[in-house]
Amino acid sequence: TDTFPSEVKFSSDGKLLALSANEDDTISIFSTETGRLIKSLSDDRTSLVSPIAFSPNGEILVSGNDLETIKFWNVKTWKENKLYKIPPGWITAVAFSADGKTLAFSEGESGNIKLWDFKLGKVLKTFSGNIDLVSSLTFSPDEKFIAITDIQG
C-alpha cells in the first residue's frame, strides 16, 4: 500500500528533511543536498508516529506517538537518546521553543498542552481548556505565546 507522510520538517540548517508516516510507523530522513534517504527510523514499540520536530540547534529530532511516548533521536547517530512516557493519551503535536530549552506537546483527546523542560525531563506547566484534539502547535519567536490548531480548525 502507499504510505503518505503525516508531517514534514526541515532541520534548522536546512540539510535534513524528516517525514513521519502513520501507515508504516516510520520517520524517513532525507538529505536535502542529494535527495537521498539517509535513515529510516522505526521502532516495534511504536504504533503510530506522527508529530516530529527538530531542536533549534539541529542535534535532536523529537517524535511523538499514540503510546504516550516522546522519543529523542540523536541526529548524528540516529540512536534513540531518551524515551519518555507521558501519560495519559497519545502525543498529537510537538514543538521546541526558540532557545531549545522547552518542548511543548499536546496530549490526545484531552487537548492538554504541556510545557516540558527538555534538560530536566519534567513538566513545567499544563494548560487545559475547551480544546479538541490538537493537530499543530508552535511557539511565537519571543516565546511568550503558543499558537495551536485543533481538529475543528
Side-chain angles (χ1 to χ4, degrees):
T1 64
D2 290 332
T3 300
F4 300 98
S6 61
E7 194 155 313
V8 179
K9 297 287 171 92
F10 282 101
S11 60
S12 58
D13 63 6
K15 293 182 179 181
L16 300 174
L17 180 67
L19 290 85
S20 69
N22 279 333
E23 290 85 1
D24 69 357
D25 309 332
T26 63
I27 302 169
S28 299
I29 310 298
F30 292 89
S31 165
T32 57
E33 295 170 347
T34 67
R36 294 182 190 251
L37 179 68
I38 294 173
K39 187 74 176 173
S40 183
L41 305 174
S42 184
D43 191 328
D44 292 338
R45 295 172 288 176
T46 301
S47 182
L48 295 177
V49 174
S50 186
I52 53 176
F54 281 100
S55 61
N57 65 8
E59 295 176 1
I60 301 290
L61 175 70
V62 173
S63 64
N65 64 39
D66 67 342
L67 297 176
E68 305 172 347
T69 304
I70 295 177
K71 295 179 185 179
F72 296 88
W73 303 91
N74 181 312
V75 171
K76 290 183 177 153
T77 64
W78 296 114
K79 301 258 189 243
E80 190 179 297
N81 250 5
K82 297 179 183 175
L83 173 73
Y84 290 105
K85 295 288 273 181
I86 314 284
W90 71 92
I91 309 304
T92 59
V94 293
F96 273 99
S97 60
D99 65 9
K101 295 179 181 177
T102 305
L103 180 74
F105 66 90
S106 61
E107 296 178 323
E109 292 177 4
S110 74
N112 289 342
I113 306 294
K114 294 195 174 190
L115 299 182
W116 196 56
D117 185 290
F118 178 68
K119 292 197 184 220
L120 297 177
K122 69 177 192 175
V123 173
L124 301 173
K125 186 165 182 87
T126 300
F127 299 96
S128 57
N130 190 15
I131 304 169
D132 284 328
L133 182 68
V134 174
S135 57
S136 178
L137 55 84
T138 188
F139 282 90
S140 63
D142 63 6
E143 300 179 11
K144 292 182 180 179
F145 301 98
I146 297 174
I148 65 166
T149 60
D150 64 16
I151 59 171
Q152 301 300 319

